[in-house]
Amino acid sequence: MAQIPQGYQDVPEESRKKAQVFFKRAETVAGTGNYEYAIEMYLQGLNLDPDAVEAHQSMRDISLKRRASGGKSVGFLESMKLKRGNKDDRQAMLNAEKLLAYEPGNTDYMVSLIQSAYRAGFYDTVMWVGPILLRANADSVKPAPDFQKFMILKDIYKELRQWKRATEAAQQAVMLRPDDMDLTTELKNLGAQDTMDSGKYTEGGSFRSSMRDAKYQEDLLEDEKDVRSLDFLSRAIVQAEEEYATDPTKIGKLVDALLKTEKKEHEDRAIELLMKEYETSKQFRWRLAVGRVRLTQLNREDRIRRAEVAADPQDEDLRNDYREFLKKRLEEELTEFSLAAENYPTDMNFRYEQGRRLFALERHNDAIPILQQSRNDPKHRINAGIYLGRAFLESGFVEEAVDTLRQCLEEYQIKGDDKSKDVYYWYARALEAKSDLATAVKAYSQVAQWDFNFRDVQSRIKRLR
């Protein structure tokens, strides 16, 4: 059984299934020639399943077709935003891949993609883009092949124990610097290492498949053993506490050990440690981590309270308590996302989540400018547009609501899915508020043709007719 190099990140099966929805949409949209939208659909799917090699290749095929048909690179401002350093390696990988999709021959973007994918642990993606980078760099004429890019490839392959590919990259580097004796010696050693490690690591296959095999074998051997047992986790915490006491830089290991228990007292200890580090270093990433823990606790409490209400739906006190909790949860989430948005003003994910909470708390006038900002991010353009249109409607700006929702309707090209129903429904509501009843009925009718039982479209159509 092949061993998996440390750091590999396996993607949960549920995320892979969700990603397939976006990949199928992308394939459909690409067939109409709308390559930009197809690329965006692929990127959204890859955000869920970053190691989906077939999707990476399909998006690259589309990007090459787009380039051949005269497609241009992304605009200057967009490229600057995507090139900006991102501490989230997954997002950095997707940013690089978007740039590459719009400029498929750019080897700098290929380097950014493979380095980010490697740091994030998406090794199948590394193995997919590596040969593309090697070939593109080797075939480069103006500029000439870049020695450093071959060295980057070699080093990454070495870390993954992909000796044959590391050898190939080293050979290309030696051709550029034949007098480099250290490199020549390393090239010889790579061949010997390949022989020594033969069969221990996946060679040319799929890390994902190897991981599945490894998990299957582990399940057979450890059928009755719970590696997440409390005793195991408690020992991990004790060990991490000891290391942290002598080396405070090991705070991450201790926090991880505490959070794995999913127990509030340990999570509170993690929050305490993170807040202390934040107050000492003034680096907001520690405060951001505190927010993530708090949101996790709120999610867990929500599940517990919902289950209690479901078990006894006639208990009015339980229902009232749950309503109060939901408001409290929204307010705490708003605090966290607002703080994150303030410290990371270019990250529209935080802006979008901030706007959603403001809307849910019925602070519509406050939500409008936040949603307008988050709409500039293609990932949130439609969803933020729906909320923005509804916020305009709730605030009495009916014309603005109609225009905003009509724009969403025109921009969202998939028809008949849940999001398109939502757009048409709220567009009809805005038209109804504007007293444009004939157009409103047509929009409601379109929703009814897709889903006859969607919300209250039946009664609204009958009433307006």
Side-chain angles (χ1 to χ4, degrees):
M1 182 178 65
Q3 297 178 22
I4 308 299
Q6 289 186 351
Y8 174 75
Q9 293 295 317
D10 195 23
V11 178
E13 190 65 34
E14 183 181 356
S15 296
R16 296 179 201 172
K17 289 178 180 178
K18 289 180 180 178
Q20 287 300 319
V21 176
F22 288 97
F23 297 153
K24 288 176 182 176
R25 288 180 185 173
E27 186 179 354
T28 300
V29 172
T32 69
N34 192 345
Y35 298 134
E36 286 85 356
Y37 191 68
I39 288 170
E40 190 58 42
M41 287 290 99
Y42 272 120
L43 288 169
Q44 290 195 37
L46 288 167
N47 187 46
L48 293 166
D49 185 4
D51 236 1
V53 171
E54 290 184 7
H56 285 297
Q57 184 58 48
S58 295
M59 185 168 75
R60 180 158 180 81
D61 292 342
I62 287 171
S63 73
L64 292 169
K65 290 178 183 177
R66 177 187 174 277
R67 195 67 168 177
S69 65
K72 297 180 180 179
S73 306
V74 297
F76 176 76
L77 292 178
E78 177 71 3
S79 69
M80 288 298 99
K81 182 175 73 172
L82 293 170
K83 290 176 185 176
R84 192 175 297 128
N86 196 308
K87 295 178 182 178
D88 183 339
D89 291 321
R90 177 192 300 227
Q91 190 59 54
M93 182 191 89
L94 295 174
N95 289 352
E97 191 154 10
K98 180 171 184 177
L99 288 166
L100 183 63
Y102 281 78
E103 201 172 330
N106 191 309
T107 54
D108 290 334
Y109 297 155
M110 295 178 195
V111 168
S112 296
L113 196 163
I114 197 170
Q115 288 178 323
S116 299
Y118 168 69
R119 288 194 300 268
F122 303 128
Y123 296 159
D124 282 328
T125 299
V126 169
M127 300 300 286
W128 165 74
V129 75
I132 297 173
L133 171 57
L134 183 81
R135 186 168 55 253
N137 192 36
D139 294 344
S140 181
V141 178
K142 291 183 180 180
D146 188 328
F147 171 82
Q148 194 57 42
K149 288 172 183 172
F150 289 131
M151 296 297 284
I152 289 170
L153 264 177
K154 173 197 54 100
D155 290 340
I156 288 177
Y157 283 141
K158 280 176 62 179
E159 290 296 322
L160 298 184
R161 296 185 174 272
Q162 299 294 310
W163 306 116
K164 285 184 173 63
R165 294 198 181 190
T167 300
E168 186 178 5
Q171 285 172 337
Q172 293 288 342
V174 166
M175 289 172 63
L176 296 178
R177 296 190 183 177
D179 296 331
D180 189 328
M181 298 308 297
D182 290 338
L183 182 57
T184 301
T185 300
E186 184 179 14
L187 176 59
K188 294 177 182 177
N189 291 337
L190 287 171
Q193 193 69 56
D194 181 28
T195 302
M196 291 170 59
D197 268 20
S198 179
K200 289 185 180 179
Y201 290 83
T202 178
E203 280 286 354
S206 165
F207 286 98
R208 176 169 289 181
S209 298
S210 297
M211 177 61 79
R212 285 178 177 175
D213 292 342
K215 285 181 176 177
Y216 175 70
Q217 294 293 335
E218 183 178 347
D219 287 343
L220 290 178
L221 294 171
E222 312 241 356
D223 192 32
E224 308 241 339
K225 182 179 177 183
D226 180 5
V227 296
R228 295 268 318 241
S229 70
L230 203 53
D231 286 344
F232 175 85
L233 295 174
S234 296
R235 288 196 301 273
I237 292 172
V238 170
Q239 181 182 347
E241 288 276 15
E242 291 173 352
E243 292 183 21
Y244 174 70
T246 57
D247 184 1
T249 63
K250 298 290 183 69
I251 181 176
K253 182 176 181 180
L254 176 53
V255 168
D256 286 345
L258 290 164
L259 295 181
K260 281 179 181 178
T261 67
E262 297 182 1
K263 288 189 169 293
K264 188 176 185 304
E265 60 268 27
H266 290 143
E267 290 171 341
D268 289 343
R269 165 71 172 144
I271 289 174
E272 177 188 330
L273 289 166
L274 292 167
M275 282 299 297
K276 180 181 176 183
E277 190 68 23
Y278 168 60
E279 290 164 359
T280 301
S281 67
K282 305 302 180 186
Q283 294 180 14
F284 186 74
R285 63 192 179 101
W286 302 108
R287 179 61 184 83
L288 187 65
V290 170
R292 291 197 184 104
V293 179
R294 286 179 172 162
L295 294 182
T296 298
Q297 290 177 328
L298 288 169
N299 284 336
R300 185 170 59 239
E301 186 176 353
D302 190 3
R303 290 195 301 270
I304 294 170
R305 287 177 177 267
R306 268 191 289 116
E308 290 174 346
V309 172
D312 191 359
Q314 304 304 318
D315 189 328
E316 194 60 33
D317 290 336
L318 273 179
R319 296 170 68 85
N320 288 334
D321 287 345
Y322 183 54
R323 279 192 286 267
E324 287 297 318
F325 164 76
L326 287 179
K327 183 179 179 182
K328 171 195 164 189
R329 175 184 175 179
L330 284 170
E331 289 170 346
E332 290 196 27
E333 288 177 341
L334 175 60
T335 297
E336 294 301 329
F337 286 120
S338 299
L339 192 58
E342 181 182 339
N343 283 271
Y344 297 113
T346 61
D347 191 328
M348 290 299 109
N349 291 310
F350 295 132
R351 288 285 181 211
Y352 172 65
E353 297 298 342
Q354 180 187 13
R356 281 182 56 204
R357 270 61 178 191
L358 286 167
F359 181 88
L361 289 166
E362 300 183 0
R363 292 172 54 182
H364 302 115
N365 285 348
D366 294 330
I368 287 171
I370 302 298
L371 292 167
Q372 286 174 324
Q373 291 178 48
S374 59
R375 250 197 113 198
N376 293 323
D377 188 331
K379 292 195 300 294
H380 301 303
R381 185 162 183 80
I382 301 301
N383 288 335
I386 295 171
Y387 278 113
L388 178 59
R390 293 178 62 188
F392 275 133
L393 187 60
E394 294 289 344
S395 296
F397 294 92
V398 177
E399 291 282 355
E400 289 76 8
V402 170
D403 290 345
T404 300
L405 291 161
R406 182 191 298 116
Q407 190 174 359
C408 290
L409 183 149
E410 293 168 352
E411 291 173 347
Y412 192 66
Q413 299 185 10
I414 299 173
K415 305 301 180 186
D417 67 347
D418 289 341
K419 192 177 295 187
S420 62
K421 294 176 208 171
D422 221 24
V423 174
Y424 271 83
Y425 177 82
W426 289 108
Y427 176 55
R429 289 283 297 268
L431 289 167
E432 192 176 343
K434 186 184 175 184
S435 297
D436 186 351
L437 304 185
T439 312
V441 169
K442 287 182 180 179
Y444 284 134
S445 176
Q446 178 60 82
V447 178
Q449 291 174 60
W450 288 329
D451 184 351
F452 194 58
N453 293 319
F454 189 81
R455 294 182 184 159
D456 58 349
V457 290
Q458 293 182 42
S459 61
R460 286 184 178 275
I461 290 171
K462 289 176 180 178
R463 177 170 53 79
L464 293 178
R465 281 177 176 167

